[in-house]
Amino acid sequence: MKKGRVLGIETSCDETSVAILDVDFTKKTPGVRIVKHVVSSQIDIHAQYGGVVPEVAARTHVPETVALLTGMLSKKDPLNSFDAIAVTKGPGLATALRVGIQAAQTLAWTSEKPLIGVNHLEGHLASAWLVPENRRQWQFPALALLVSGGHTELVLMKDFGKYEIIGSTRDDAAGEAFDKSAKLLGLGYPGGPKISKHAEKGNGAAIDFPRPMIHDPSLDMSFSGLKTAVRLEVAKVNKMTPKKRHDLCASIQRAIIDLLVYKTIKAATLHPVKSILLVGGVSANKQLRLDLDSAIKQELKGVKMLKPAVGLATDNAAMIAAAGCWSLVKGKTSDWRKIDAEPELDLS
Ligand code: KG4
Ligand code: ZN
């Protein structure tokens, strides 16, 4: 398929999302337009438990997926609202993934349109491709810093679909470090946006949190030690004043960003690339965007930083449809009968 409408479905964790993209691969720079896009977040439901409860997530996806699809597809001719379907097959929560997959299978069977099972992580890579300016500047080889709630990976991208993981976290993901630190500070879930908001008013040098593995020769990272250090620091606080909270948040954020930026620049120095992608939920972080951008400008002449729109950094179906397009244009589709949830799927 070179031209047409792609329906995207995402239910891997706590966001139910559907989208329709209009795609034209006949142009030199592919034309991609988000025609319709909705994200229904379950954050309020899971916030009361302090994190995502898989069974609750899956049960909530069922009515949401039906409601969002019925609202999005044409009333008169729903099965002709799209030319192909892209659905997240993994990684993620098995039962949550299955909700989206079964909806997609039903639509593929009844419409007889092609279906693509998409790797959620490739979806995050494609989130940057949804920005028109990025598509014009996109050049391989590229390096992606993929930072989300479940993953922290440095991915060498030789082409669409050709990936090599050259560094990753050995324990917690960067998003998890934000979430767990926020929990210790009583800030609620998800922690990233909350920590970064408080950090705006704080001093990042107030507390010298560890940057584990920063001097390790590998491109791997580690964040679990930070959580322990935050716990010890919080235990020392007699009275949590707003200033103390702001300084703690700024120092936590500083430690996470320092490690991410350092390892990304090191990776691009060892493996010369033409573009650097900053993607995944944590890429919504303003300070990380600023710091990585200025480090790239300083250390890697001529390398462009490509990032998604802030609203498309966290989980959404537009990025899943976009990644689906990368497979569709190569003629790679899946047999709808054979797609199943792959909770542990990785990129290479
Ligand atoms: O990509 P995503 O929506 O879901 C996964 O695939 O995991 O990422 C969610 C993660 C959460 O850990 C959340 O705390 C983090 O992204 N996050 C942020 C920000 N917004 C979301 N972390 C730091 N700063 C932010 N502004
Ligand atoms: Zn994600």
Side-chain angles (χ1 to χ4, degrees), residues 10 12-13 91 120-121 124 146 148-151 280-281 313-316 319:
E10 155 68 34
S12 68
C13 189
H120 179 85
L121 303 174
H124 278 299
L146 198 168
S148 70
H151 292 80
T314 45
D315 293 351
N316 66 82
M319 69 181 197

Side-chain angles (χ1 to χ4, degrees), residues 15-340:
E15 247 88 45
T16 319
S17 179
V18 296
I20 294 181
L21 296 191
D22 198 28
V23 205
D24 183 356
F25 269 98
T26 60
K27 299 175 183 166
K28 187 167 168 269
T29 302
V32 184
R33 192 168 60 88
I34 300 178
V35 182
K36 294 178 181 180
H37 184 212
V38 272
V39 180
S40 163
S41 175
Q42 305 177 5
I43 282 176
D44 291 345
I45 300 173
H46 299 288
Q48 54 187 308
Y49 305 105
V52 180
V53 183
E55 168 66 18
V56 175
R59 271 193 279 149
T60 312
H61 280 309
V62 177
E64 283 301 309
T65 306
V66 173
L68 298 190
L69 282 170
T70 353
M72 183 161 290
L73 304 180
S74 130
K75 300 270 174 295
K76 278 194 190 142
D77 198 1
L79 299 181
N80 274 320
S81 309
F82 53 87
D83 303 295
I85 310 159
V87 64
T88 307
K89 64 176 178 181
L93 307 168
T95 49
L97 288 162
R98 283 214 173 96
V99 178
I101 291 172
Q102 281 171 5
Q105 285 172 313
T106 310
L107 288 172
W109 177 45
T110 47
S111 69
E112 298 182 13
K113 305 272 170 72
L115 174 62
I116 310 111
V118 171
N119 183 320
H120 179 85
L121 303 174
E122 190 171 31
H124 278 299
L125 300 179
S127 66
W129 189 75
L130 287 166
V131 178
E133 184 56 22
N134 289 352
R135 286 198 299 283
R136 278 189 286 276
Q137 300 192 338
W138 199 281
Q139 280 192 75
F140 293 111
L143 173 74
L145 172 63
L146 198 168
V147 265
S148 70
H151 292 80
T152 295
E153 292 179 351
L154 282 161
V155 186
L156 195 58
M157 302 172 69
K158 292 165 200 155
D159 196 351
F160 296 114
K162 287 208 178 122
Y163 313 122
E164 184 190 342
I165 296 168
I166 56 173
S168 59
T169 180
R170 298 228 176 132
D171 40 59
D172 291 349
E176 224 174 332
F178 274 106
D179 295 339
K180 288 180 176 172
S181 302
K183 202 169 181 176
L184 289 166
L185 287 164
L187 296 178
Y189 172 85
K194 303 225 160 88
I195 298 240
S196 66
K197 188 98 198 84
H198 286 284
E200 281 171 17
K201 295 184 193 150
N203 170 13
I207 303 139
D208 188 21
F209 282 120
R211 279 101 168 123
M213 296 191 69
I214 202 157
H215 298 300
D216 186 90
S218 78
L219 295 171
D220 287 347
M221 294 160 261
S222 161
F223 292 97
S224 64
L226 177 64
K227 176 188 62 195
T228 313
V230 172
R231 179 179 296 123
L232 295 174
E233 200 58 42
V234 170
K236 277 198 252 164
V237 179
N238 287 326
K239 189 169 184 298
M240 185 61 84
T241 59
K243 179 173 182 332
K244 186 75 199 168
R245 187 177 298 116
H246 295 153
D247 284 350
L248 273 163
C249 288
S251 304
I252 293 164
Q253 178 170 278
R254 184 77 274 139
I256 297 173
I257 292 178
D258 278 357
L259 188 56
L260 294 174
V261 171
Y262 184 86
K263 291 284 176 165
T264 307
I265 300 295
K266 182 170 178 171
T269 311
L270 293 172
H271 303 264
V273 288
K274 292 183 176 152
S275 343
I276 294 189
L277 275 67
L278 172 60
V279 294
V282 182
S283 76
N285 188 284
K286 273 193 229 151
Q287 197 60 48
L288 173 59
R289 287 174 169 231
L290 287 172
D291 292 358
L292 185 59
D293 195 35
S294 69
I296 291 170
K297 285 194 177 118
Q298 224 172 347
E299 313 271 341
L300 307 164
K301 294 279 167 286
V303 176
K304 294 265 183 292
M305 179 166 125
L306 313 176
K307 53 193 187 312
V310 173
L312 296 179
T314 45
D315 293 351
N316 66 82
M319 69 181 197
I320 300 303
C325 295
W326 293 354
S327 296
L328 272 170
V329 75
K330 292 182 181 165
K332 280 193 205 159
T333 58
S334 324
D335 178 345
W336 69 261
R337 293 163 196 84
K338 294 197 178 136
I339 292 191
D340 196 5

